[in-house]
């Protein structure tokens, strides 16, 4: 499972961010408050919660570990 991503914010959308980690882009679902604190082109480290279902693998990103634990 993925527990943390450290990379560069490659893009931000309504409900997710694209994080570039050494050339691999990870689509990470984030809250609006987390997304508001991200900037395209800036370095970021996100705590990740990975959810696997029949039809998808989803990554949820949090700026602090406590938010991830609460999730």
């Amino acid at each position: 499972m993925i527990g943390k991503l450290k990379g560069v914010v490659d893009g931000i959308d309504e409900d997710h961010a694209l994080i570039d980690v050494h050339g691999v882009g990870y689509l990470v679902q984030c809250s609006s408050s987390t997304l508001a604190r991200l900037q395209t082109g800036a370095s970021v480290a996100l705590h990740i919660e990975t959810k696997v279902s029949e039809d998808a693998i989803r990554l949820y990103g949090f700026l602090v570990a406590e938010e991830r634990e609460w999730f």
Side-chain angles (χ1 to χ4, degrees):
M1 294 294 179
I2 297 171
K4 181 179 178 182
L5 287 177
K6 186 174 181 180
V8 176
V9 179
D10 202 38
I12 301 170
D13 207 337
E14 288 181 20
D15 63 349
H16 65 270
L18 183 63
I19 309 299
D20 183 309
V21 180
H22 300 290
V24 177
Y26 292 90
L27 193 69
V28 181
Q29 305 293 314
C30 299
S31 69
S32 57
S33 62
T34 296
L35 292 170
R37 295 171 61 189
L38 301 180
Q39 291 184 342
T40 302
S43 295
V44 67
L46 293 174
H47 299 272
I48 301 295
E49 183 67 29
T50 305
K51 296 291 183 180
V52 179
S53 66
E54 293 182 5
D55 59 343
I57 298 173
R58 296 193 194 279
L59 303 177
Y60 296 90
F62 309 91
L63 288 171
V64 295
E66 291 79 18
E67 284 182 303
R68 179 178 174 240
E69 290 172 18
W70 181 83
F71 179 77

Coordinates of all heavy atoms in Angstrom, one line a residue:
M1 N 0.8 -1.2 0.0 CA 0.0 0.0 0.0 C 0.9 1.2 0.0 O 2.0 1.2 0.5 CB -0.9 0.0 1.2 CG -1.9 -1.1 1.3 SD -3.1 -0.8 -0.1 CE -4.1 -2.2 0.2
I2 N 0.3 2.3 -0.5 CA 1.1 3.6 -0.5 C 0.7 4.3 0.7 O -0.5 4.5 1.0 CB 0.7 4.4 -1.8 CG1 1.1 3.6 -3.0 CG2 1.3 5.8 -1.7 CD1 0.6 4.2 -4.3
G3 N 1.7 4.8 1.5 CA 1.4 5.5 2.8 C 1.8 6.9 2.7 O 1.3 7.7 3.5
K4 N 2.7 7.3 1.8 CA 3.1 8.7 1.7 C 3.6 8.9 0.3 O 4.3 8.1 -0.3 CB 4.3 8.9 2.7 CG 4.8 10.3 2.7 CD 5.9 10.5 3.7 CE 6.4 11.9 3.7 NZ 7.5 12.1 4.7
L5 N 3.4 10.1 -0.2 CA 3.9 10.6 -1.5 C 4.6 11.9 -1.3 O 4.1 12.8 -0.7 CB 2.8 10.8 -2.5 CG 2.1 9.6 -3.1 CD1 1.0 10.0 -4.1 CD2 3.1 8.7 -3.9
K6 N 5.8 12.0 -1.9 CA 6.6 13.2 -1.8 C 7.0 13.6 -3.2 O 7.6 12.8 -3.9 CB 7.8 13.1 -0.9 CG 8.6 14.3 -0.7 CD 9.7 14.1 0.3 CE 10.5 15.3 0.6 NZ 11.6 15.1 1.5
G7 N 6.5 14.7 -3.7 CA 6.8 15.1 -5.1 C 6.4 16.5 -5.4 O 6.4 17.4 -4.5
V8 N 6.1 16.8 -6.6 CA 5.7 18.1 -7.1 C 4.3 18.1 -7.5 O 3.8 17.2 -8.2 CB 6.6 18.6 -8.2 CG1 6.2 19.9 -8.8 CG2 8.1 18.6 -7.8
V9 N 3.5 19.2 -7.1 CA 2.1 19.3 -7.6 C 2.1 19.6 -9.0 O 2.6 20.7 -9.5 CB 1.4 20.4 -6.8 CG1 -0.1 20.5 -7.2 CG2 1.4 20.1 -5.3
D10 N 1.6 18.7 -9.9 CA 1.6 18.9 -11.3 C 0.3 19.5 -11.8 O 0.2 20.1 -12.9 CB 1.8 17.6 -12.0 CG 2.3 17.7 -13.4 OD1 3.2 18.6 -13.7 OD2 1.9 16.9 -14.3
G11 N -0.8 19.4 -11.0 CA -2.1 20.0 -11.3 C -3.0 19.9 -10.2 O -2.9 19.0 -9.4
I12 N -4.0 20.8 -10.2 CA -5.1 20.7 -9.2 C -6.4 20.9 -9.8 O -6.6 21.7 -10.7 CB -4.9 21.9 -8.2 CG1 -3.5 21.8 -7.5 CG2 -6.0 21.9 -7.1 CD1 -3.1 23.0 -6.7
D13 N -7.4 20.0 -9.4 CA -8.7 20.1 -10.0 C -9.7 20.2 -8.8 O -9.3 20.5 -7.7 CB -9.0 18.8 -10.7 CG -10.1 19.0 -11.8 OD1 -10.9 19.9 -11.7 OD2 -10.1 18.2 -12.8
E14 N -11.0 20.1 -9.0 CA -12.0 20.3 -8.0 C -11.9 19.4 -6.8 O -12.1 19.8 -5.7 CB -13.4 20.1 -8.6 CG -13.8 21.2 -9.5 CD -15.2 20.9 -10.0 OE1 -16.0 20.2 -9.4 OE2 -15.6 21.5 -11.0
D15 N -11.5 18.1 -7.0 CA -11.5 17.2 -5.9 C -10.2 16.4 -5.8 O -10.1 15.4 -5.0 CB -12.7 16.2 -6.0 CG -12.7 15.4 -7.2 OD1 -11.9 15.7 -8.2 OD2 -13.5 14.4 -7.3
H16 N -9.2 16.7 -6.7 CA -8.0 15.9 -6.6 C -6.8 16.8 -7.1 O -7.0 17.8 -7.7 CB -8.1 14.7 -7.5 CG -8.3 15.0 -9.0 ND1 -9.5 15.1 -9.5 CD2 -7.4 15.2 -9.9 CE1 -9.4 15.4 -10.8 NE2 -8.1 15.4 -11.1
A17 N -5.6 16.2 -6.8 CA -4.4 16.8 -7.3 C -3.6 15.8 -8.0 O -3.7 14.6 -7.7 CB -3.6 17.4 -6.1
L18 N -2.8 16.2 -8.9 CA -1.9 15.3 -9.6 C -0.5 15.5 -9.1 O 0.0 16.7 -9.2 CB -1.9 15.5 -11.1 CG -1.0 14.6 -12.0 CD1 -1.5 13.2 -11.9 CD2 -1.1 15.1 -13.4
I19 N 0.1 14.5 -8.4 CA 1.4 14.6 -7.8 C 2.4 13.9 -8.6 O 2.3 12.7 -8.9 CB 1.4 14.1 -6.4 CG1 0.2 14.7 -5.6 CG2 2.7 14.3 -5.7 CD1 0.3 16.2 -5.4
D20 N 3.5 14.6 -9.1 CA 4.5 14.0 -9.9 C 5.6 13.5 -9.0 O 6.2 14.3 -8.3 CB 5.1 15.0 -10.9 CG 6.1 14.4 -11.8 OD1 7.1 13.8 -11.3 OD2 6.0 14.6 -13.0
V21 N 5.9 12.2 -9.0 CA 6.9 11.6 -8.1 C 7.9 11.0 -9.1 O 7.7 9.9 -9.6 CB 6.4 10.6 -7.1 CG1 7.5 10.0 -6.3 CG2 5.3 11.2 -6.2
H22 N 9.0 11.7 -9.4 CA 10.0 11.2 -10.3 C 9.5 10.7 -11.6 O 9.8 9.7 -12.1 CB 10.9 10.1 -9.6 CG 11.5 10.6 -8.4 ND1 12.6 11.5 -8.4 CD2 11.3 10.3 -7.1 CE1 13.0 11.7 -7.1 NE2 12.2 11.0 -6.3
G23 N 8.6 11.5 -12.2 CA 8.0 11.2 -13.5 C 6.8 10.4 -13.5 O 6.2 10.1 -14.6
V24 N 6.3 9.9 -12.4 CA 5.1 9.1 -12.3 C 4.0 10.0 -11.7 O 4.2 10.6 -10.6 CB 5.3 7.8 -11.5 CG1 3.9 7.1 -11.3 CG2 6.3 6.9 -12.1
G25 N 2.9 10.2 -12.3 CA 1.8 11.0 -11.8 C 0.8 10.3 -11.1 O 0.2 9.3 -11.6
Y26 N 0.6 10.6 -9.8 CA -0.4 10.0 -8.9 C -1.6 10.9 -8.8 O -1.4 12.1 -8.4 CB 0.2 9.7 -7.6 CG 1.2 8.6 -7.6 CD1 2.6 9.0 -7.8 CD2 0.9 7.3 -7.4 CE1 3.6 8.0 -7.8 CE2 1.9 6.3 -7.4 CZ 3.2 6.7 -7.6 OH 4.2 5.7 -7.6
L27 N -2.8 10.4 -9.1 CA -4.0 11.2 -8.9 C -4.5 10.9 -7.5 O -4.8 9.8 -7.1 CB -5.1 10.7 -9.9 CG -6.3 11.5 -10.0 CD1 -6.0 12.8 -10.7 CD2 -7.3 10.7 -10.8
V28 N -4.5 12.0 -6.7 CA -4.8 11.9 -5.2 C -6.1 12.7 -4.9 O -6.1 13.9 -5.1 CB -3.6 12.4 -4.4 CG1 -3.9 12.3 -2.9 CG2 -2.3 11.7 -4.8
Q29 N -7.1 12.1 -4.4 CA -8.3 12.7 -3.9 C -7.9 13.5 -2.6 O -7.3 13.0 -1.7 CB -9.4 11.7 -3.6 CG -9.7 10.8 -4.8 CD -10.3 11.5 -5.9 OE1 -11.2 12.3 -5.8 NE2 -9.8 11.2 -7.1
C30 N -8.4 14.8 -2.5 CA -8.1 15.6 -1.4 C -9.3 16.4 -1.0 O -10.1 16.7 -1.9 CB -6.9 16.5 -1.6 SG -5.4 15.8 -2.0
S31 N -9.4 16.8 0.3 CA -10.4 17.7 0.7 C -10.2 19.1 0.1 O -9.1 19.4 -0.3 CB -10.5 17.8 2.2 OG -9.3 18.5 2.7
S32 N -11.2 19.9 0.1 CA -11.1 21.3 -0.5 C -10.1 22.1 0.3 O -9.4 22.9 -0.2 CB -12.5 22.0 -0.6 OG -13.1 22.0 0.7
S33 N -10.1 21.9 1.6 CA -9.1 22.6 2.5 C -7.7 22.3 2.2 O -6.8 23.1 2.1 CB -9.4 22.5 4.0 OG -9.3 21.1 4.3
T34 N -7.4 21.0 1.9 CA -6.1 20.5 1.5 C -5.7 21.1 0.1 O -4.6 21.6 -0.1 CB -6.0 19.0 1.5 OG1 -6.2 18.5 2.8 CG2 -4.6 18.5 1.0
L35 N -6.6 21.0 -0.8 CA -6.4 21.5 -2.2 C -6.1 23.0 -2.2 O -5.2 23.5 -2.9 CB -7.6 21.2 -3.1 CG -7.8 19.7 -3.4 CD1 -9.1 19.5 -4.1 CD2 -6.6 19.2 -4.2
A36 N -6.8 23.7 -1.3 CA -6.5 25.2 -1.2 C -5.1 25.5 -0.7 O -4.6 26.6 -1.0 CB -7.6 25.8 -0.3
R37 N -4.5 24.6 0.0 CA -3.1 24.9 0.5 C -2.0 24.4 -0.5 O -0.9 24.7 -0.2 CB -3.0 24.2 1.8 CG -3.9 24.9 2.9 CD -4.0 24.1 4.2 NE -2.7 24.0 4.8 CZ -2.5 23.3 5.9 NH1 -3.5 22.6 6.4 NH2 -1.3 23.2 6.4
L38 N -2.4 23.8 -1.6 CA -1.4 23.3 -2.6 C -1.3 24.3 -3.7 O -2.2 25.1 -4.0 CB -1.9 22.0 -3.2 CG -2.1 20.8 -2.2 CD1 -2.6 19.6 -3.0 CD2 -0.9 20.5 -1.4
Q39 N -0.1 24.3 -4.2 CA 0.2 25.2 -5.4 C 0.9 24.4 -6.5 O 1.8 23.7 -6.2 CB 1.1 26.4 -4.9 CG 0.5 27.4 -4.0 CD 1.4 28.5 -3.7 OE1 2.6 28.4 -3.9 NE2 0.9 29.6 -3.2
T40 N 0.4 24.6 -7.7 CA 1.0 23.9 -8.8 C 2.5 24.3 -8.9 O 2.9 25.5 -8.8 CB 0.3 24.3 -10.1 OG1 -1.1 24.0 -10.0 CG2 0.9 23.6 -11.3
G41 N 3.4 23.3 -9.1 CA 4.8 23.5 -9.2 C 5.5 23.5 -7.9 O 6.8 23.4 -7.8
A42 N 4.8 23.4 -6.8 CA 5.4 23.4 -5.4 C 5.7 22.0 -5.0 O 4.9 21.1 -5.4 CB 4.5 24.1 -4.4
S43 N 6.7 21.8 -4.2 CA 6.9 20.5 -3.5 C 5.9 20.2 -2.5 O 5.4 21.1 -1.8 CB 8.3 20.5 -2.9 OG 9.3 20.6 -3.9
V44 N 5.5 18.9 -2.3 CA 4.5 18.6 -1.3 C 4.8 17.2 -0.8 O 5.4 16.3 -1.6 CB 3.1 18.6 -1.9 CG1 2.9 17.6 -3.0 CG2 2.0 18.5 -0.8
A45 N 4.5 16.9 0.4 CA 4.5 15.6 1.0 C 3.1 15.3 1.5 O 2.6 16.1 2.4 CB 5.5 15.4 2.1
L46 N 2.4 14.3 1.0 CA 1.1 13.9 1.5 C 1.1 12.6 2.1 O 1.7 11.6 1.6 CB 0.1 13.9 0.3 CG -0.2 15.2 -0.4 CD1 -1.0 15.0 -1.6 CD2 -0.9 16.2 0.6
H47 N 0.4 12.5 3.3 CA 0.1 11.2 3.9 C -1.1 10.6 3.1 O -2.0 11.3 2.8 CB -0.3 11.4 5.3 CG 0.8 12.0 6.2 ND1 1.7 11.3 6.8 CD2 1.0 13.3 6.4 CE1 2.6 12.1 7.4 NE2 2.2 13.3 7.2
I48 N -0.9 9.3 2.7 CA -1.9 8.7 1.8 C -2.6 7.6 2.5 O -2.1 6.7 3.2 CB -1.2 8.1 0.6 CG1 -0.4 9.3 -0.2 CG2 -2.1 7.4 -0.4 CD1 -1.3 10.3 -0.8
E49 N -3.9 7.5 2.2 CA -4.8 6.4 2.6 C -5.2 5.7 1.3 O -5.7 6.4 0.4 CB -6.0 6.8 3.3 CG -6.9 5.7 3.8 CD -6.3 4.8 4.9 OE1 -5.4 5.3 5.7 OE2 -6.6 3.6 4.9
T50 N -4.9 4.5 1.1 CA -5.2 3.7 -0.2 C -6.4 2.9 0.0 O -6.5 2.1 1.0 CB -4.0 2.8 -0.5 OG1 -2.8 3.6 -0.6 CG2 -4.2 2.1 -1.9
K51 N -7.4 3.1 -0.8 CA -8.6 2.3 -0.8 C -8.8 1.5 -2.1 O -8.7 2.0 -3.2 CB -9.8 3.2 -0.6 CG -9.9 4.0 0.7 CD -10.1 3.1 1.8 CE -10.2 3.9 3.1 NZ -10.5 3.1 4.3
V52 N -8.9 0.2 -1.9 CA -9.0 -0.7 -3.1 C -10.5 -1.3 -3.1 O -11.0 -1.7 -2.1 CB -8.0 -1.9 -3.0 CG1 -8.2 -2.8 -4.1 CG2 -6.6 -1.4 -2.8
S53 N -11.1 -1.2 -4.3 CA -12.4 -1.7 -4.5 C -12.4 -2.5 -5.8 O -11.4 -2.6 -6.4 CB -13.5 -0.6 -4.6 OG -13.3 0.2 -5.7
E54 N -13.6 -3.1 -6.1 CA -13.6 -3.9 -7.3 C -13.3 -3.2 -8.6 O -12.7 -3.7 -9.5 CB -15.1 -4.4 -7.5 CG -15.6 -5.4 -6.5 CD -17.0 -5.9 -6.9 OE1 -17.5 -5.5 -7.9 OE2 -17.5 -6.6 -6.0
D55 N -13.6 -1.9 -8.6 CA -13.5 -1.2 -9.9 C -12.4 -0.1 -9.8 O -12.2 0.6 -10.8 CB -14.8 -0.5 -10.2 CG -15.4 0.4 -9.2 OD1 -14.9 0.3 -8.0 OD2 -16.3 1.2 -9.5
A56 N -11.8 0.1 -8.7 CA -10.8 1.2 -8.6 C -9.8 1.1 -7.4 O -10.2 0.4 -6.5 CB -11.5 2.6 -8.6
I57 N -8.7 1.7 -7.6 CA -7.8 1.9 -6.5 C -7.7 3.4 -6.3 O -7.4 4.2 -7.2 CB -6.4 1.4 -6.8 CG1 -6.4 -0.1 -7.0 CG2 -5.4 1.7 -5.6 CD1 -5.1 -0.7 -7.5
R58 N -8.1 3.9 -5.2 CA -8.1 5.4 -4.9 C -7.1 5.8 -3.8 O -7.0 5.1 -2.8 CB -9.5 5.8 -4.5 CG -10.6 5.6 -5.6 CD -11.8 6.3 -5.2 NE -12.9 5.8 -6.0 CZ -13.2 6.3 -7.3 NH1 -12.4 7.1 -7.8 NH2 -14.2 5.8 -7.9
L59 N -6.5 6.9 -4.1 CA -5.6 7.5 -3.1 C -6.2 8.7 -2.5 O -6.6 9.6 -3.3 CB -4.2 7.8 -3.8 CG -3.5 6.7 -4.5 CD1 -2.2 7.2 -5.2 CD2 -3.2 5.5 -3.6
Y60 N -6.2 8.8 -1.2 CA -6.7 10.0 -0.5 C -5.5 10.6 0.2 O -4.8 10.0 0.9 CB -7.8 9.6 0.5 CG -9.0 9.0 -0.2 CD1 -9.1 7.7 -0.4 CD2 -10.0 9.9 -0.6 CE1 -10.2 7.1 -1.0 CE2 -11.2 9.3 -1.2 CZ -11.3 8.0 -1.4 OH -12.4 7.5 -2.1
G61 N -5.3 11.9 0.0 CA -4.2 12.6 0.5 C -4.5 13.6 1.6 O -5.5 14.3 1.6
F62 N -3.6 13.7 2.6 CA -3.7 14.6 3.8 C -2.4 15.2 4.1 O -1.3 14.6 4.0 CB -4.2 13.7 5.0 CG -5.4 12.9 4.7 CD1 -5.2 11.6 4.2 CD2 -6.6 13.4 4.8 CE1 -6.3 10.8 3.9 CE2 -7.8 12.7 4.5 CZ -7.6 11.4 4.1
L63 N -2.4 16.5 4.4 CA -1.2 17.2 4.7 C -0.6 16.8 6.1 O 0.6 16.9 6.3 CB -1.4 18.7 4.7 CG -1.6 19.3 3.3 CD1 -2.0 20.7 3.3 CD2 -0.3 19.1 2.5
V64 N -1.4 16.4 7.0 CA -0.9 16.0 8.3 C -1.4 14.6 8.7 O -2.5 14.2 8.3 CB -1.3 17.0 9.5 CG1 -0.6 18.3 9.3 CG2 -2.8 17.1 9.5
A65 N -0.6 13.8 9.4 CA -1.0 12.4 9.7 C -2.3 12.3 10.5 O -3.0 11.4 10.4 CB 0.2 11.8 10.5
E66 N -2.5 13.3 11.4 CA -3.8 13.3 12.2 C -5.0 13.3 11.3 O -6.0 12.6 11.7 CB -3.8 14.4 13.2 CG -2.7 14.4 14.3 CD -1.4 14.8 13.8 OE1 -1.2 15.5 12.8 OE2 -0.4 14.4 14.5
E67 N -5.0 14.0 10.2 CA -6.2 14.0 9.3 C -6.4 12.6 8.7 O -7.5 12.2 8.6 CB -6.0 15.0 8.2 CG -6.2 16.4 8.6 CD -6.0 17.4 7.4 OE1 -4.9 17.3 6.7 OE2 -6.9 18.1 7.1
R68 N -5.3 12.0 8.4 CA -5.3 10.6 7.8 C -5.9 9.7 8.8 O -6.8 8.8 8.5 CB -4.0 10.2 7.3 CG -4.0 8.8 6.8 CD -2.6 8.4 6.3 NE -2.7 7.0 5.9 CZ -1.9 6.0 6.4 NH1 -1.1 6.3 7.4 NH2 -2.0 4.8 6.0
E69 N -5.4 9.7 10.0 CA -5.9 8.8 11.1 C -7.4 9.1 11.3 O -8.2 8.1 11.5 CB -5.2 9.1 12.4 CG -3.7 8.6 12.3 CD -2.9 9.0 13.5 OE1 -3.5 9.4 14.6 OE2 -1.7 9.0 13.4
W70 N -7.9 10.3 11.3 CA -9.3 10.6 11.5 C -10.1 10.0 10.4 O -11.2 9.5 10.6 CB -9.5 12.1 11.6 CG -10.9 12.5 11.8 CD1 -11.6 12.5 13.0 CD2 -11.9 12.9 10.8 NE1 -12.9 12.9 12.8 CE2 -13.1 13.1 11.5 CE3 -11.8 13.0 9.4 CZ2 -14.2 13.5 10.8 CZ3 -12.9 13.4 8.8 CH2 -14.1 13.7 9.4
F71 N -9.6 10.1 9.1 CA -10.3 9.6 7.9 C -10.6 8.1 8.1 O -11.6 7.6 7.8 CB -9.4 9.8 6.7 CG -10.0 9.3 5.4 CD1 -11.1 10.0 4.8 CD2 -9.6 8.2 4.8 CE1 -11.6 9.6 3.6 CE2 -10.1 7.7 3.6 CZ -11.1 8.4 3.0

